[in-house]
């Protein structure tokens, strides 16, 4: 059967059982454990020493995740794509485990992973509000999509454009509820309940959910949308108030690991610093320009009178010595958002700038990473 019916609020697949059992067929590694003990390949139990990061093994997130780490100078050394364990030589006592995104969340809960990178949608769906799970970086700037309710553009839904209007339709009764097809069997029922929709029933399938309304299997679907092409091609539309969450890749951790496992907090700090410095830098250019002026101060004042030219903390201004040893120009160095490059360049010219050089910016390391302070406070430290 393509789809199986699930009741309102019923949890699918009691995956929490993986956490405590002594054997788990779902685990692709040879390890199955209670808290800290691992059953290694030789059949011996030992204390787990290595810090473990779970990365998506396949699908949309896989390549972008390793690419992001590489851009943070954390290159994942995987011997071949079918080997699920890998190293990051820059991080000592550290293992990468490639897993399906939902298994990364499950294994964080079970204590088999310490850190992970997944989509916020997967984290929220499979984490189910578990207090041990912490979001360390909420915006890794890829894997953007949203979890949205969508209904047909035709028939009884033609003039329905909001969740409120959908809820008020007289068609939905206890005996004939609104049928929603979704892979999000935790978030779906929760969203409907939170929004006060009573007469709702859910069904699930592994993919191509957009076919369900036209096949007569469901009235609506709740699925991930990025470009919106799949919805459009299947004559479906999103509605106002129907977005459950906006998602992108996130770095997540187990609170227990951060607090109890040696080295996890320090390593998380390092990963966070590398991520933040890279992600801050990718939206910016370094701009160098020569400015005519009487003194460094006078040039600086001219530049800072335009807030968009202030850079991070204000311009760096240095004298440019001409062939006669005279200083008639000053070089300024500022950071400029990529989107504002052309506007900034014209502004620089207008205030006496010339020889404007633009180079990519790779990292911005600040005194402190804001998310680190936030993490310590979440941990009560
Ligand atoms: N258009 C999109 N559709 C689905 N996921 C997307 C999309 N854009 C970004 N993502 C992100 O990519 C993650 C992985 O999606 P993907 O479909 O590649 O893997 P999967 O759903 O785990 O695998 P499968 O579809 O084979 O079950 C999603 O959880 C989401 O965070
Ligand atoms: O808004 P769009 O850019 O069209 O993307 C949305 C579609 O992509 C995903 O499906 P996927 O490609 O993962 O196929 P699946 O249904 O087999 O999981 C998602 O489930 C939607 O169907
Ligand atoms: Mg998919």
């Amino acid at each position: 059967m393509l789809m199986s019916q699930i009741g309102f609020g019923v949890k699918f697949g009691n995956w929490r059982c993986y956490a405590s059992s002594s054997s788990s067929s779902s685990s692709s590694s040879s390890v199955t454990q209670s808290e800290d003990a691992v059953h290694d390949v030789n059949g011996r139990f030992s204390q787990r020493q290595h810090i473990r990061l779970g990365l998506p093994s396949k699908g949309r997130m896989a390549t972008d995740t390793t690419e992001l780490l590489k851009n943070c100078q954390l290159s994942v050394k995987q011997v071949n794509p079918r080997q699920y364990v890998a190293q990051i030589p820059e991080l000592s006592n550290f293992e990468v485990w490639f897993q399906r995104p939902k298994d990364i969340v499950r294994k964080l809960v079970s204590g088999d992973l310490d850190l992970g990178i997944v989509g916020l949608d997967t984290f929220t769906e499979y984490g189910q509000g578990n207090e041990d799970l912490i979001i360390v970086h909420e915006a890794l700037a890829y894997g953007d999509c949203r979890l949205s309710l969508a209904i047909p553009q035709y028939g009884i839904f033609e003039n329905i454009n909001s969740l409120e209007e959908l809820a008020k339709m007289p068609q939905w009764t206890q005996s004939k509820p609104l049928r929603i097809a979704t892979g999000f069997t935790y978030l779906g029922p929760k969203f409907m309940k939170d929004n006060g929709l009573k007469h709702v029933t859910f069904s699930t399938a592994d993919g191509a959910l957009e076919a369900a309304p036209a096949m007569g299997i469901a009235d609506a679907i709740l699925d991930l949308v990025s470009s919106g092409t799949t919805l459009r091609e299947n004559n479906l539309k999103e509605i106002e108030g129907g977005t459950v969450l906006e998602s992108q890749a996130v770095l997540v951790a187990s609170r227990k690991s951060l607090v109890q496992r040696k080295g996890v907090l320090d390593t998380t700090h390092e990963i966070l610093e590398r991520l933040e410095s890279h992600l801050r830098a990718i939206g910016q250019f370094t701009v160098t320009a020569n400015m005519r002026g009487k003194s460094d101060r006078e040039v600086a004042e001219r530049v800072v009178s335009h807030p968009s030219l202030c850079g991070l903390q204000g311009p760096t201004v240095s004298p440019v010595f001409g062939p006669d040893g005279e200083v008639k120009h000053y070089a300024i160095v500022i950071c400029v958002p990529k989107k504002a490059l052309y506007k900034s360049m014209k502004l620089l010219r207008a205030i006496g700038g010339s020889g404007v050089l633009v180079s990519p910016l790779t990292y911005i390391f600040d005194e402190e990473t804001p998310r680190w302070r936030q993490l310590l406070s979440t941990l009560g430290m």
Side-chain angles (χ1 to χ4, degrees):
M1 196 164 108
L2 180 68
M3 294 198 165
S4 55
Q5 293 291 320
I6 57 170
F8 197 92
V10 173
K11 282 183 195 152
F12 242 49
N14 185 13
W15 48 267
R16 276 163 210 273
C17 65
Y18 294 137
S20 56
S21 77
S22 59
S23 72
S24 163
S25 58
S26 78
S27 176
S28 64
S29 71
S30 56
V31 289
T32 55
Q33 64 250 60
S34 63
E35 260 326 283
D36 266 336
V38 298
H39 189 191
D40 65 27
V41 279
N42 300 318
R44 288 176 284 115
F45 277 93
S46 59
Q47 267 328 80
R48 170 150 80 80
Q49 296 295 336
H50 287 88
I51 298 161
R52 291 178 174 171
L53 167 70
L55 298 184
S57 54
K58 56 182 266 196
R60 283 182 182 78
M61 305 281 290
T63 319
D64 287 351
T65 304
T66 45
E67 196 61 26
L68 171 69
L69 292 172
K70 195 169 139 204
N71 290 334
C72 298
Q73 305 302 315
L74 294 171
S75 38
V76 181
K77 302 281 180 223
Q78 191 183 18
V79 180
N80 74 64
R82 299 303 291 177
Q83 194 172 78
Y84 293 130
V85 64
Q87 311 300 321
I88 295 182
E90 291 84 3
L91 300 175
S92 56
N93 197 31
F94 194 84
E95 288 171 351
V96 166
W97 286 91
F98 288 101
Q99 294 285 288
R100 295 290 288 269
K102 52 187 151 193
D103 288 330
I104 292 177
V105 184
R106 289 166 175 155
K107 286 181 165 92
L108 281 167
V109 171
S110 68
D112 295 316
L113 289 171
D114 305 309
L115 296 158
I117 294 180
V118 292
L120 180 65
D121 56 303
T122 307
F123 176 78
T124 316
E125 170 69 20
Y126 294 93
Q128 303 192 350
N130 188 309
E131 288 192 349
D132 185 54
L133 297 176
I134 291 179
I135 298 179
V136 179
H137 196 305
E138 79 298 344
L140 297 181
Y142 66 96
D144 294 51
C145 57
R146 56 192 178 275
L147 180 61
S148 275
L149 191 68
I151 56 174
Q153 294 166 354
Y154 49 84
I156 56 166
F157 299 101
E158 200 177 342
N159 297 315
I160 302 296
N161 292 304
S162 70
L163 187 63
E164 207 183 331
E165 288 167 0
L166 180 68
K168 282 189 184 145
M169 286 174 77
Q171 279 85 351
W172 322 128
T173 62
Q174 193 156 8
S175 59
K176 207 174 166 298
L178 172 74
R179 298 163 306 152
I180 303 177
T182 186
F184 290 80
T185 56
Y186 167 75
L187 284 174
K190 186 175 180 306
F191 180 73
M192 289 300 153
K193 202 172 164 197
D194 290 350
N195 282 282
L197 274 88
K198 287 199 190 78
H199 305 308
V200 186
T201 182
F202 288 87
S203 63
T204 190
D206 288 335
L209 287 169
E210 290 83 355
M215 289 175 81
I217 297 166
D219 303 301
I221 66 158
L222 183 73
D223 197 10
L224 296 173
V225 182
S226 46
S227 67
T229 309
T230 317
L231 287 185
R232 252 192 329 274
E233 292 302 319
N234 289 281
N235 301 314
L236 299 171
K237 63 182 178 191
E238 288 176 271
I239 52 174
E240 204 192 311
T243 303
V244 178
L245 65 81
E246 299 278 351
S247 180
Q248 61 179 295
V250 293
L251 171 67
V252 292
S254 147
R255 180 191 294 268
K256 216 180 290 167
S257 293
L258 288 168
V259 173
Q260 293 175 9
R261 192 180 294 287
K262 193 167 165 271
V264 176
L265 199 56
D266 284 347
T267 303
T268 303
H269 185 212
E270 178 170 347
I271 295 174
L272 192 53
E273 275 222 281
R274 287 173 180 263
L275 286 170
E276 282 202 339
S277 60
H278 167 67
L279 291 169
R280 260 196 92 184
I282 49 176
Q284 309 263 340
F285 282 126
T286 305
V287 172
T288 313
N290 285 339
M291 307 280 294
R292 278 185 304 277
K294 293 192 192 85
S295 70
D296 50 3
R297 185 163 292 277
E298 185 266 320
V299 167
E301 276 167 9
R302 220 183 314 149
V303 175
V304 297
S305 67
H306 298 278
S308 65
L309 298 178
C310 282
L312 294 178
Q313 269 132 11
T316 306
V317 183
S318 353
V320 177
F321 293 92
D324 53 0
E326 291 288 306
V327 176
K328 289 182 189 141
H329 286 89
Y330 290 84
I332 65 150
V333 183
I334 53 172
C335 294
V336 168
K338 281 184 178 167
K339 282 185 192 150
L341 177 65
Y342 195 70
K343 217 171 105 202
S344 309
M345 196 271 294
K346 283 205 298 191
L347 199 51
L348 277 172
R349 268 193 195 144
I351 58 168
S354 60
V356 181
L357 305 181
V358 181
S359 8
L361 190 54
T362 319
Y363 300 103
I364 300 176
F365 285 103
D366 248 346
E367 247 172 82
E368 189 178 71
T369 61
R371 288 178 182 85
W372 174 244
R373 185 138 298 279
Q374 174 62 45
L375 177 63
L376 291 182
S377 124
T378 305
L379 295 172
M381 291 177 170

